[in-house]
Structure formats: C-alpha cells, structure tokens
Amino acid sequence: MRKVFKFLFSRIVFFSLLIVLQAAVLVYFLVDFSTYSRTVYLVCYIVSIAAVLWLITKDDNPSYKIAWIILIMALPILGGLFYLFFGNKTLPLGTRQKQQKHRESEPALYRAPSGATAEFRAACPEYTTEADYISRISDFPPFQNTAITYCPLGEDFFLHLREELPKAEKFIFMEYFIIEKGVMWKTILEILKERAAAGVEVCVMYDDFGCIQRLPLSYVKELESYGIKAAVFNRFRPSIDPSLNYRDHRKTCVIDGKVGFCGGLNLADEYINAVDRFGHWKDTAVMLRGEAVQNLTRMFLQVFTMVCPDSLNRPHEEYLRTEPVEAEGFVQPYADSPLDSFNVAESVYMQIINRANRYVYITTPYLILDNEMVTCLKMAAESGIDVRIMTPHHPDKWYVHMVSQSYYQTLINSGVKIYEYLPGFVHAKMFVSDDACAVVGTANLDYRSLYLHYENNVIFYHHPAVMDVKKDIVETFEKKCHLMTIEELQSKIRGKKILVALLKLWAPLM
C-alpha cells in the first residue's frame, strides 16, 4: 500500500496529470470553438491537411509517418495539432541553437582523431565501409591497442566496476539512464565519495525521466554535498513539449581515460539480480582498456559540457589522453544522437546483417522493427544466413512484448529463428556475426532507441572478445532458451489479433 501511495503522489504522476489536463483543455476549446466557429474549424482542418502533406514529403521512417497520417485523418480537427505538439521530431529552435553553439565553442570535442583508420582498412577490408560510415557520420574512429573484458551478466560488470573505481587518480565520468538507491548504487556511491574526498574529479549525469520514480528531485544537491559534480539530463517538465521524447539512454563509465565501461546495464539492483523483477535479469557489458576509451570520454564530454558548461577542472585534451594496451583486433565505440538526421545505430545493425556470410545472432529486450529492418532480416535468412534473435520470455511491459511477438510470424516464415529467454528478462543489446564482428551497447531494436534517444555502442572486429560474446549467446540459446514455433505463436495471440494489430500500428508512437 505504501508503494501505491508513493506512486500516486510521485512527480511523474503529478506532471503527467498536468500534461493530460493541458491536452484536455486544448481539445475542449478546439472542439468547442470549431462547433461554433467555422473559421476555427477550417483553420484546424487546414493544419491537419498541412501536417499530412508535410509528413508525406518529410524524410522520415515510413511506419512512423503512416501511424501519424492515420491518426490525423481519423481526427481531422485535432490530429494536426497533436502532431505538431507530440509527433514532430524536428528539434526546437532553441535546442538546435544550443547544440550548434556548443559545437562551435568546443571544437576539440567534435573533431575526430584519426585513430587506427589506415591500419583498419588494410587489416579488415570486409568491414571498411562500416567503420568508415561510423567515423564519417558520428566522428568516432576505430582504434587498436585496446583490451576488452566481456561481462556476460550484470554481476560480472558490478564486480569489475567495484575493482576499477577505487583505482581512479584523476577523474571518474558516469552517465546512466537509470540510477536507483539500493545495494548496487550504495556500494558505488561510497567509492565515489571516497575518491572525491581524495581529490579525484567525479562527474555523474543521469536522465531525469529514467530516474523520475527512483531518485528525489533534489538528488543533485545531495551528490554535490559529497564533492561530486552532478547533472540531470533534460528535466521532465509538466508541459506539452516534444523535446521530452529525447532521453539520454546511454550507459557509460570512464576512469582516468584508461578504463571504460559500456553496455545495457543501468545502476539499479535488478540489473545485478539483487532483487527479482521479471525473473532472472540477463544483461551484458564490456570493459575497455586502451586507446578506444578516448571515444567514450569524448561522448561523455560532448553532453556533460553542454548541460554543465565550465564545470570541469582540466582542459579537455587532458581527459582524452589514453594509454595503449597490447591487444589484437580493432575497437570502435560510437554514439547515436537525435540531434542529427542519421540513424547510426540502426544503420550499423543493418550493415552487420547485410555483410554476414554465415550467421548473425542478436539479443534485444524489444523487437519493434521498421520495414527496413524487417526486410533486412528476412533477406538474410532467405539467403541462407543463420539468423537468430533472443527476446525475453518474461517481459517488463506486456504491450511491448505483444508488439514484439507480432513480428515473429513474418520473421519465422522467412527462416529467422526466434528464441525466448526462459529464466526471465533479457535486457542485453548485442549482435555477433561470422566470428569476426560484435556489438555490445545500449541501443534496442525499437523506435525510441533508434530514432529518439541518445545511445552508445561498442563494435569490435577480429578481436578475441568476439568469440566471448558468441560463446555466451550460443550457450544461452542452447541451455536457457526456447525456440518459438508458428503454432505456439498462433496459440499465444489467439483471440488477441485485433489488439495485436492495433498495437503494431501504433508501435512507432510508443
């Protein structure tokens, strides 16, 4: 009962009610005025027609456009205005100006180093196009001399993080979508407090929406009282504002520029199975040592210095120094951002699928695909590529899981194998292909991750860690997963086909 009251009186409920109230008032006045005023009716109708024409000509995902066009045509008086408030993914002018000003004032953070681009082209010609695409579009090149420790569970990640944080001598950067008080965060926070007291520069940034039910509004001040520099990304405000969609979904930790972490794990107890949510929680991460850590550092600095300008102690060049570690292969951490027109994360995933010769294995908590990704997966499977996808058996959101299952049939009919993780929930976001290339990171196979969120992944080529990822995925397929069949799928959705169809139609707007 206490949890119910806490939720009912939480900031997210209060703010959501205010947003709903604003929308209700807007709807009331528009409907009321359009009833009595032909001019208002015509204006609203013209706005809706203009919105549809704008959507048709806009360079955007077709599934997203179709969902909005149907909504606007179904509600011609309100649909166009709803799209302007909630659907138009063009960034507000103020946000674009702030980003441009930041790029101009901090050129070192956006100027890509050469990395090991020349060496990569000579050693990995089959992946040159992919690495060059990432370098050209996101400005994060591949590096050599980087060791990778693969963490197949959150418990492994937590163990390595606890070992590395106390070694910090200069700085610690942490950027996470979710931070929640509990065993995991309490342990980490005690180390951060000790390091800050020892003179280490500690910076923590978290997403406001991700933490809105997990941290108090004043938590930044609490962290600052410990000597930690803290920032909240994109404060959730009770207003009808499309920029609320843009969330910082990244999960990054950098220590002295020497060690970096990236993966699907947030800093909350379910990620290390200290509490039971949706059964056993399967999540993964990688720990990097060496030159490629520089990319993770630049990602953090690009966002943190925009949110908190003039808050760091050192020139940016000092944070970007790395130490090479003798290791095979190439490592390329990269970022994706909604501030540009490029869908880097999805493009990289599709390039891996298109380039596969033998197999592509994928893990994702959500399987909400656009037409391009569906076509890509089907074409690979129909060409004889062994395409396998792991999804949760115990979902965190029933309606999202139902949408995921709506894609099973067309994929299975094309030869894609769908496995559900029986012990619980899979939160890992991974690709591995042909024993040569693997990705571990934060980007889900859904519209929000691929189109609206700040994300970061690590791709590695001809690196020993590729086989670590493959071994973990294959063992999980064989020992802990169930291969879905068309018959089982039809049994699960029997009697729910209309609901499934409606959910799938609105999937791009979820």
Side-chain angles (χ1 to χ4, degrees):
M1 185 60 69
R2 198 165 87 180
K3 288 184 178 179
V4 173
F5 277 107
K6 184 179 179 181
F7 172 74
L8 291 176
F9 290 95
S10 64
R11 188 159 59 106
I12 189 170
V13 171
F14 179 65
F15 282 8
S16 298
L17 287 174
L18 287 177
I19 293 172
V20 170
L21 180 61
Q22 291 176 56
V25 170
L26 176 65
V27 169
Y28 173 79
F29 279 108
L30 284 174
V31 173
D32 188 57
F33 279 122
S34 64
T35 303
Y36 296 101
S37 171
R38 186 169 180 82
T39 302
V40 173
Y41 178 87
L42 287 174
V43 168
C44 293
Y45 198 81
I46 290 169
V47 168
S48 292
I49 294 174
V52 170
L53 294 175
W54 166 249
L55 275 164
I56 291 171
T57 59
K58 193 175 181 183
D59 185 15
D60 211 338
N61 183 272
S63 300
Y64 185 81
K65 293 196 290 187
I66 289 170
W68 271 109
I69 288 172
I70 291 174
L71 179 62
I72 294 169
M73 293 179 70
L75 303 170
I77 305 303
L78 304 172
L81 291 170
F82 278 175
Y83 174 74
L84 292 178
F85 283 120
F86 300 110
N88 186 11
K89 293 190 292 183
T90 302
L91 286 169
L93 179 61
T95 304
R96 283 180 280 151
Q97 289 176 338
K98 184 178 180 180
Q99 170 69 10
Q100 184 59 36
K101 183 178 179 181
H102 187 258
R103 292 184 72 96
E104 292 171 356
S105 63
E106 304 287 356
L109 298 182
Y110 294 92
R111 185 170 54 246
S114 60
T117 300
E119 295 84 350
F120 183 93
R121 289 172 179 167
C124 307
E126 73 276 28
Y127 289 107
T128 294
T129 303
E130 187 159 0
D132 283 351
Y133 169 81
I134 296 171
S135 299
R136 287 166 56 86
I137 301 303
S138 69
D139 294 324
F140 293 103
F143 285 88
Q144 291 179 294
N145 305 316
T146 303
I148 297 177
T149 301
Y150 173 63
C151 304
L153 287 173
E155 294 88 321
D156 304 304
F157 161 78
F158 189 36
L159 174 65
H160 290 297
L161 190 61
R162 294 200 316 265
E163 290 175 348
E164 296 300 327
L165 285 173
K167 300 176 185 177
E169 298 176 347
K170 298 178 181 178
F171 64 88
I172 297 172
F173 294 156
M174 304 190 81
E175 178 182 2
Y176 285 89
F177 179 62
I178 292 173
I179 296 176
E180 183 175 24
K181 293 181 178 181
V183 174
M184 187 182 194
W185 178 240
K186 181 180 179 181
T187 304
I188 293 169
L189 182 58
E190 290 303 314
I191 299 173
L192 298 182
K193 289 160 65 175
E194 184 277 326
R195 288 290 79 203
V200 174
E201 186 176 15
V202 180
C203 302
V204 174
M205 181 166 58
Y206 57 87
D207 185 85
D208 193 39
F209 188 80
C211 299
I212 195 167
Q213 290 182 269
R214 300 171 186 258
L215 294 177
L217 182 61
S218 60
Y219 197 62
V220 165
K221 293 182 178 179
E222 181 178 336
L223 291 177
E224 289 174 344
S225 72
Y226 305 137
I228 297 170
K229 297 175 182 177
V232 179
F233 183 85
N234 196 4
R235 281 284 190 190
F236 186 73
R237 295 179 174 83
S239 61
I240 301 176
D241 184 354
S243 65
L244 293 176
N245 276 318
Y246 301 109
R247 310 314 320 176
D248 184 358
H249 197 244
R250 296 176 184 174
K251 293 98 178 172
T252 301
C253 177
V254 177
I255 303 166
D256 288 347
K258 299 177 182 179
V259 177
F261 292 87
C262 177
L265 290 127
N266 287 296
L267 306 182
D269 284 354
E270 62 265 33
Y271 293 85
I272 57 171
N273 290 293
V275 296
D276 185 353
R277 290 193 70 202
F278 320 115
H280 184 267
W281 195 287
K282 168 71 173 173
D283 217 332
T284 61
V286 287
M287 179 176 71
L288 311 183
R289 293 181 186 274
E291 294 178 354
V293 175
Q294 180 183 156
N295 281 3
L296 293 177
T297 309
R298 276 205 304 129
M299 289 176 211
F300 178 87
L301 290 173
Q302 285 176 357
V303 180
F304 189 81
T305 58
M306 185 169 62
V307 176
C308 294
D310 305 319
S311 60
L312 298 177
N313 296 342
R314 300 173 173 84
H316 297 152
E317 291 76 10
E318 292 189 24
Y319 298 110
L320 296 172
R321 292 172 184 165
T322 59
E323 293 183 4
V325 173
E326 187 174 343
E328 299 176 22
F330 296 84
V331 183
Q332 190 172 20
Y334 61 95
D336 197 359
S337 164
L339 297 180
D340 56 39
S341 59
F342 301 103
N343 300 318
V344 178
E346 183 178 37
S347 296
V348 171
Y349 287 160
M350 289 197 293
Q351 287 190 50
I352 292 174
I353 297 167
N354 289 332
R355 208 172 304 283
N357 290 312
R358 294 187 289 120
Y359 73 86
V360 177
Y361 300 155
I362 301 167
T363 70
T364 180
Y366 315 118
L367 193 67
I368 303 178
L369 310 175
D370 59 20
N371 184 67
E372 290 83 354
M373 183 61 75
V374 170
T375 301
C376 193
L377 289 165
K378 288 173 60 178
M379 188 180 301
E382 290 165 356
S383 300
I385 307 300
D386 181 11
V387 182
R388 306 184 196 180
I389 303 174
M390 186 191 307
T391 64
H393 184 69
H394 299 279
D396 61 339
K397 304 177 185 71
W398 67 267
Y399 53 92
V400 175
H401 189 59
M402 191 174 288
V403 176
S404 294
Q405 289 182 329
S406 72
Y407 290 92
Y408 285 7
Q409 183 165 343
T410 185
L411 294 175
I412 293 172
N413 284 338
S414 295
V416 177
K417 300 180 181 70
I418 307 290
Y419 292 80
E420 288 194 351
Y421 180 71
L422 294 178
F425 184 64
V426 173
H427 193 255
K429 310 94 166 51
M430 300 193 295
F431 273 59
V432 63
S433 176
D434 290 353
D435 297 353
C437 172
V439 177
V440 177
T442 71
N444 300 311
L445 284 176
D446 67 4
Y447 287 86
R448 289 205 161 271
S449 270
L450 300 179
Y451 291 91
L452 295 175
H453 287 169
Y454 291 77
E455 305 282 357
N456 65 317
N457 290 346
V458 178
I459 185 169
F460 33 106
Y461 318 81
H462 297 296
H463 196 288
V466 172
M467 298 309 294
D468 295 333
V469 174
K470 180 188 178 183
K471 180 182 177 184
D472 178 39
I473 292 179
V474 170
E475 287 182 355
T476 307
F477 279 147
E478 294 175 349
K479 298 178 181 179
K480 299 181 180 179
C481 289
H482 173 70
L483 178 63
M484 293 294 295
T485 65
I486 291 294
E487 291 73 24
E488 285 177 286
L489 175 63
Q490 292 175 341
S491 175
K492 281 191 174 188
I493 65 174
R494 185 173 293 122
K496 306 174 185 176
K497 290 186 177 180
I498 295 177
L499 177 59
V500 170
L502 289 172
L503 288 172
K504 188 173 182 179
L505 174 63
W506 303 117
L509 311 184
M510 288 182 178

